Amino acid sequence: MSNNRQNATDDQLDGVAGYMQQAKQQALKNVEQVAEGVAADTLSEGKLFEIATSIGDKRLEELTVEDTTCGYCAVGCRFDLYSDGEEILAARPTAEEDAPVNGISTCVKGKFGYNFVNSDDRLTSPLVRDENGEFREATWDEAYSRVVEGFDRIRDDHGAESLSLIASSKATNEENYLMGKFARQVLGTNSVDNCNRLCHSSTVAGLAQSYGYGAASVSTEDLEIADCILLTGSNTTEAHPVLATRIKQNVRDGADLLVFDPREVQIAEYATQYSRIKPGYDAVWINGLIRHIINNDLYDKEFVENRVTGYEPEEAPDHEAADDREERVDKRETGFEAVKESVQEFTPEVVEEVTGVPHEEVVSAAETIAAADACVFGWTLGLTEHSHGTENVLAMANLAAITGNLGKPGAGVSPFRGQNNVQGGGGDMGPLPDNFPGYQDIADDELRAKFEDAWDCEISPEYGYYTTQMFLAADRGDIRGMYIIGENAALSEPGVNHAEQVLSDLDFLVVQDLFVNETAQYADVVLPACSFVEKTGTFTNTDRTVQMVKQVMEPKGDSRPDWEILQDLANRMGREWDYESSAEIMEEVNSVTPIYGGMTHERIEAEGGLQWPCWDEDHPGTKRLYEEQFNTDNGKANLQAVGYSEPAETPDSEYPLSLTTGRVLYQYHTGTMTHRSDGMMQYTPSDFVEVHPETAGEFDIESGEMVTIESRRGEIVVPAQVTDRVGPDTVFVPIHFAESAVNRLTDEEHLDPAAATPEYKVSAVRISPADGTAEPIEAADIEAAGDD
Ligand SMILES: Nc1nc2c(c(=O)[nH]1)N[C@H]1C(S)=C(S)[C@@H](COP(=O)(O)OP(=O)(O)OC[C@H]3O[C@@H](n4cnc5c(=O)[nH]c(N)nc54)[C@H](O)[C@@H]3O)O[C@H]1N2
Ligand SMILES: Nc1nc2c(c(=O)[nH]1)N[C@H]1C(S)=C(S)[C@@H](COP(=O)(O)OP(=O)(O)OC[C@H]3O[C@@H](n4cnc5c(=O)[nH]c(N)nc54)[C@H](O)[C@@H]3O)O[C@H]1N2
Ligand code: SF4
Ligand SMILES: [Mo]
């Protein structure tokens, strides 16, 4: 087996300079096609926005230019996109006042990641199976008929609850609102969920329990004015490059940065303190910090006295899944005294032995946080993707509350959300088995009655299945049909050997996507959707800012925006939907979703974004949550005692290493968008495994050599990158390539009891040399490509 990692020719520059050079040539080519008199020599390396500036005025008039919001990650960068109607030619900064998060910054993906839109294998017409079981192109009419037939058959034979829908956090708020409505009103099932389940649902569950809202309390500007930032489980420079820039700037200006991560990721280079932790034991070191702070009287007594209380869990609705989820919560002691008592077991010895963090590092981090006037607690998947992710988040919420770091400038909790629209489309819009839009509980009789009335349908009070549970329920025959919109479950679910089996055994599967992705290969019908550059609507970013997304190009081929497809299907299934635009859908959202009450397209456009809650048309939106009170019954933060927890599967003699998984800068998830860009592929053409030099020695592995990685569930082969970025007990593999799908190794069964998040961040594995070698893998130059 060979690897073509370094396939750049000799005369090309290495690293990011080479990437920029290539991108510049590509952009120049575009510009030459549309503009006369391009002043190539005005272009400086790494300043490709200037290319767009150099498009001649005359030709400029012939181009479409729209200010829009990035469709990759949840930072929510805004920029102008230029199109000649056929393809995206350039991205350049929009007016700074219209780009509250990024100003003039963007990362490589927002700047250059558009080749996928026009790629030859974009889906341009619906596909159905022919008599031999092969895909053939079909008219929309035929495809819709097949979909209706398929869903009807399952409903008639097995009941509507055996249908489920996976909604797409790539799509707009308006589309996700309709996905939730479609599941409940048209299909008649509460089993509707999305990628938040695989990602930050433990953040949402934990923060909702502790403070009332499952979202960041801060605005992005708080990252720039905090005195101290604690970051954990976040590879910020690669996954949220523009936020990393904000943080680095603040650190240069004197803020403290504390990084806790099993990998010495690039942001750690800027840290006042980097502590290497063993994956899977976050509540332990966080409780160690809390213990030091409380026992040494360093906590914020006034805040604790006035703004903190215990937590009284509500009775769980009567549903198998819900019972299981609530069980652990029921047992939890609540209030400051309970937390104080519960952290006593996390002595310096315990913390060091379990997590590997020496006592001096616990002390210095605790004292830095306690001494800061304002501290932001930032985290991402390293904290959440565990079988006890919600407990990790509760522990972090306790830490922020006892140090009084909420509801004031430069302070608060900042989970960096993932997909471009997972905060809005994946949460706020309620394509969820337990919530209507705006986190309104479906088990609440009054709220359910409101939606039954608004949507003219009956809705069961029983929670549906979470995404991860849908796949387990399918094994039992409880789910028989799925409608998967913009989600590549065949690669992104945990334990994909199992997921593949489920997808192939389903009675009926509809996939709605831009491509025949790995999931679509199991579909009965594939419906071609449009990407964010081909439609209008809104996305909600990581700091609750709702921003406009605008159509820059016509839909490719016969593809249609998701909301139009849903409307067509709803009408064929006996409903009368007549939305003429996404603005009209937003009006309906406004009327049923209190936190979005005043968010019309008109205002979002005029005000350059609005942060929720925004209760009515006169409300200015909310920059920072919890300034006066928490969103709980008594207005106080609910502290909850969090005890010892560990990963569901720990290393042993057979599988001696902890595997953790994640992302790289140049790739995005399952690659449907980034694999179609030559530039991105040149820099990360395959997955790889990071192995510590000592471990490499022990298992006889050299950099560039192919390595077999095995878990109890499967095996993959990837080239090795020998590096001390990881510790000796840990190996890291990215998630971006089907041929080395790391989710063959992960476990689909052990889910977080409150949030049903899988444990992507810890699996027990063993490694051994495989046949073949690859070029040694250089770490990408993240610094320069992350943001400029
Ligand atoms: N380039 C790029 N950017 C992206 C994405 C992408 O695919 N590509 N995806 C987007 C999405 S949807 C998301 S959700 C975000 C994810 O953003 P991140 O969560 O920052 O991304 P990951 O690479 O999964 O990184 C997780 C971090 O957790 C650390 N970690 C691993 N195990 C543990 C543990 O047990 N405890 C702690 N504390 N840390 C641990 C890893 O070393 C790594 O630094 O990125 C978004 N941005
Ligand atoms: N081992 C491991 N596994 C993980 C993770 C991990 O850290 N480790 N992270 C998890 C996380 S946080 C996430 S978010 C998931 C991501 O997993 P997925 O969401 O499955 O990954 P994507 O590749 O982003 O898939 C999005 C799909 O939407 C399509 N698409 C894009 N725009 C549109 C649109 O506007 N409409 C429609 N209909 N389709 C569109 C794309 O072509 C693509 O097929 O992976 C999870 N899996
Ligand atoms: S950081 Fe990059 S991927 Fe994320 S929104 Fe900004 S430009 Fe897009
Ligand atoms: Mo995510």
Side-chain angles (χ1 to χ4, degrees):
M1 209 178 289
S2 75
N3 178 278
N4 63 342
R5 187 162 190 91
Q6 291 296 334
N7 58 2
T9 54
D10 287 348
D11 58 354
Q12 280 174 311
L13 297 170
D14 281 343
V16 73
Y19 179 75
M20 289 296 184
Q21 186 194 50
Q22 217 194 27
K24 189 168 93 169
Q25 279 157 3
Q26 175 60 36
L28 269 173
K29 221 166 71 201
N30 290 336
V31 172
E32 274 159 5
Q33 284 161 5
V34 296
E36 291 104 41
V38 175
D41 53 2
T42 64
L43 306 174
S44 61
E45 204 71 62
K47 292 278 178 202
L48 285 173
F49 285 137
E50 292 174 22
I51 290 171
T53 318
S54 69
I55 294 172
D57 283 347
K58 175 163 158 281
R59 300 294 298 201
L60 201 55
E61 280 164 24
E62 291 162 26
L63 301 183
T64 309
V65 186
E66 290 290 358
D67 56 320
T68 192
T69 307
C70 182
Y72 280 98
C73 92
V75 173
C77 293
R78 290 186 53 78
F79 36 72
D80 288 341
L81 278 185
Y82 287 66
S83 171
D84 58 358
E86 302 269 304
E87 57 186 325
I88 300 296
L89 299 172
R92 63 178 292 218
T94 193
E96 243 183 296
E97 64 274 18
D98 292 335
V101 177
N102 60 311
I104 59 163
S105 301
T106 43
C107 81
V108 278
K109 295 181 292 302
K111 228 176 275 175
F112 308 121
Y114 301 99
N115 287 14
F116 75 92
V117 178
N118 264 313
S119 94
D120 292 342
D121 57 353
R122 240 320 269 285
L123 267 169
T124 51
S125 84
L127 303 177
V128 297
R129 297 278 177 190
D130 66 16
E131 52 283 0
N132 302 318
E134 302 295 322
F135 279 132
R136 68 163 167 79
E137 293 194 350
T139 61
W140 276 101
D141 187 51
E142 184 186 7
Y144 283 148
S145 300
R146 291 240 190 158
V147 173
V148 176
E149 249 171 59
F151 288 152
D152 278 349
R153 204 175 49 241
I154 291 180
R155 275 202 304 202
D156 291 347
D157 294 350
H158 304 284
E161 318 74 62
S162 43
L163 290 173
S164 73
L165 189 155
I166 298 183
S168 180
S169 296
K170 306 272 2 136
T172 63
N173 283 321
E174 294 75 4
E175 293 171 324
N176 275 281
Y177 170 79
L178 292 189
M179 291 173 206
K181 178 171 173 176
F182 188 90
R184 294 193 160 99
Q185 187 209 52
V186 182
L187 296 179
T189 178
N190 279 326
S191 289
V192 49
D193 203 6
N194 60 79
C195 73
N196 92 91
R197 196 61 48 204
L198 312 177
C199 184
H200 264 296
S201 59
S202 25
T203 294
V204 176
L207 291 183
Q209 286 175 27
S210 297
Y211 308 150
Y213 287 120
S217 72
V218 298
S219 276
T220 303
E221 69 172 59
D222 289 315
L223 296 172
E224 292 176 308
I225 58 175
D227 302 309
C228 172
I229 299 168
L230 178 139
L231 277 186
T232 188
S234 162
N235 183 0
T236 330
T237 52
E238 301 203 56
H240 298 93
V242 169
L243 296 184
T245 306
R246 295 280 180 275
I247 294 169
K248 288 189 279 189
Q249 188 56 49
N250 192 8
V251 171
R252 273 184 214 116
D253 292 344
D256 286 309
L257 174 64
L258 312 168
V259 174
F260 287 77
D261 201 294
R263 298 166 64 221
E264 196 169 353
V265 282
Q266 201 216 16
I267 193 82
E269 285 171 25
Y270 299 82
T272 327
Q273 174 182 327
Y274 164 65
S275 293
R276 193 188 293 288
I277 52 178
K278 273 194 214 150
Y281 298 93
D282 290 275
V284 173
W285 65 263
I286 299 170
N287 276 332
L289 294 186
I290 296 176
R291 180 180 185 273
H292 185 82
I293 289 170
I294 293 181
N295 290 3
N296 292 283
D297 248 6
L298 300 172
Y299 64 97
D300 185 333
K301 292 184 197 61
E302 203 186 321
F303 195 91
V304 167
E305 202 164 297
N306 297 321
R307 301 206 50 192
V308 153
T309 187
Y311 172 69
E312 298 299 332
E314 282 171 25
E315 216 174 292
D318 186 20
H319 185 271
E320 173 205 354
D323 286 349
D324 180 40
R325 267 180 255 154
E326 299 288 333
E327 206 179 303
R328 284 169 75 145
V329 176
D330 280 344
K331 287 195 230 132
R332 211 172 274 138
E333 301 281 334
T334 66
F336 179 74
E337 289 304 321
V339 169
K340 181 174 172 181
E341 202 183 308
S342 72
V343 296
Q344 296 310 320
E345 69 174 286
F346 301 98
T347 59
E349 297 72 34
V350 170
V351 174
E352 179 153 4
E353 192 192 322
V354 174
T355 70
V357 181
H359 187 51
E360 311 80 76
E361 294 181 15
V362 170
V363 171
S364 68
E367 295 188 353
T368 305
I369 294 167
D373 287 335
C375 181
V376 169
F377 301 84
W379 69 85
T380 321
L381 305 181
L383 201 65
T384 62
E385 285 182 343
H386 294 283
S387 59
H388 50 274
T390 302
E391 293 189 341
N392 292 341
V393 172
L394 292 175
M396 192 61 95
N398 291 344
L399 178 61
I402 65 154
T403 54
N405 277 305
L406 288 154
K408 63 183 184 184
V413 286
S414 184
F416 308 141
R417 300 304 305 266
Q419 291 274 29
N420 55 311
N421 195 30
V422 65
Q423 178 64 56
D428 307 344
M429 291 302 111
L432 295 167
D434 44 9
N435 281 314
F436 293 121
Y439 307 96
Q440 303 179 77
D441 192 339
I442 71 157
D444 181 307
D445 291 341
E446 242 172 76
L447 295 172
R448 202 173 56 261
K450 172 172 114 175
F451 280 89
E452 288 183 330
D453 189 41
W455 291 347
D456 186 23
C457 64
E458 269 183 43
I459 299 170
S460 159
E462 286 195 9
Y463 292 168
Y465 291 112
Y466 290 143
T467 310
T468 40
Q469 294 169 332
M470 289 174 196
F471 283 80
L472 300 175
D475 272 342
R476 304 191 298 267
D478 291 344
I479 291 288
R480 290 169 179 273
M482 285 192 187
Y483 181 8
I484 301 184
I485 306 178
E487 177 84 354
N488 200 357
L491 286 181
S492 59
E493 279 293 308
V496 290
N497 291 339
H498 173 256
E500 285 173 342
Q501 191 60 48
V502 165
L503 291 169
S504 80
D505 288 350
L506 285 173
D507 293 351
F508 189 61
L509 173 64
V510 180
V511 165
Q512 182 166 310
D513 207 283
L514 315 180
F515 298 100
V516 181
N517 61 12
E518 285 70 15
T519 311
Q521 283 156 20
Y522 298 94
D524 296 281
V525 182
V526 184
L527 303 175
C530 296
S531 72
F532 76 104
V533 300
E534 298 151 286
K535 59 192 179 187
T536 294
T538 57
F539 290 159
T540 306
N541 85 339
T542 187
D543 73 359
R544 294 169 285 107
T545 307
V546 183
Q547 310 190 107
M548 288 305 300
V549 173
K550 299 212 203 121
Q551 183 179 354
V552 197
M553 271 179 55
E554 285 304 308
K556 176 94 174 158
D558 231 357
S559 68
R560 294 183 180 171
D562 292 287
W563 69 267
E564 287 188 25
I565 302 173
L566 288 157
Q567 171 151 299
D568 291 345
L569 279 174
N571 288 340
R572 284 179 176 243
M573 293 179 80
R575 292 286 164 176
E576 287 172 17
W577 291 12
D578 60 354
Y579 307 105
E580 286 191 4
S581 65
S582 61
E584 273 186 24
I585 304 169
M586 190 52 124
E587 283 168 25
E588 188 173 313
V589 173
N590 302 148
S591 70
V592 292
T593 317
I595 58 173
Y596 277 64
M599 302 256 191
T600 57
H601 278 196
E602 209 178 358
R603 272 193 78 193
I604 296 165
E605 170 87 64
E607 298 179 35
L610 272 171
Q611 281 169 292
W612 68 254
C614 173
W615 306 108
D616 56 50
E617 289 205 18
D618 301 319
H619 192 277
T622 309
K623 183 179 261 195
R624 215 166 271 121
L625 298 177
Y626 319 128
E627 286 182 328
E628 304 291 329
Q629 54 178 12
F630 290 90
N631 185 39
T632 52
D633 287 346
N634 60 9
K636 296 188 174 187
N638 295 313
L639 297 193
Q640 299 180 65
V642 175
Y644 176 82
S645 50
E646 63 177 8
E649 187 182 60
T650 50
D652 56 19
S653 54
E654 235 185 312
Y655 296 93
L657 299 169
S658 282
L659 164 76
T660 191
T661 61
R663 292 152 174 78
V664 301
L665 174 69
Y666 290 96
Q667 292 296 349
Y668 200 82
H669 293 161
T670 66
T672 56
M673 293 156 83
T674 44
H675 290 184
R676 290 172 171 88
S677 159
D678 292 345
M680 311 272 187
M681 287 304 282
Q682 188 179 327
Y683 286 90
T684 317
S686 76
D687 286 327
F688 52 88
V689 56
E690 289 178 357
V691 188
H692 189 273
E694 260 174 43
T695 317
E698 192 182 334
F699 293 95
D700 204 16
I701 280 159
E702 284 180 29
S703 245
E705 211 169 56
M706 300 307 283
V707 177
T708 304
I709 312 177
E710 293 166 88
S711 79
R712 289 188 173 82
R713 292 155 295 275
E715 68 173 70
I716 59 170
V717 178
V718 282
Q721 183 175 356
V722 175
T723 167
D724 59 8
R725 192 175 308 119
V726 287
D729 306 327
T730 308
V731 291
F732 166 81
V733 180
I735 58 171
H736 302 299
F737 290 85
E739 50 278 24
S740 51
V742 74
N743 281 325
R744 299 212 179 279
L745 309 179
T746 56
D747 166 19
E748 72 276 13
E749 283 181 2
H750 293 96
L751 307 175
D752 178 273
T757 315
E759 193 138 62
Y760 289 127
K761 292 296 187 252
V762 187
S763 312
V765 296
R766 59 182 173 226
I767 58 174
S768 54
D771 291 339
T773 55
E775 291 291 315
I777 289 163
E778 307 291 333
D781 186 347
I782 300 157
E783 171 78 51
D787 163 33
D788 73 351

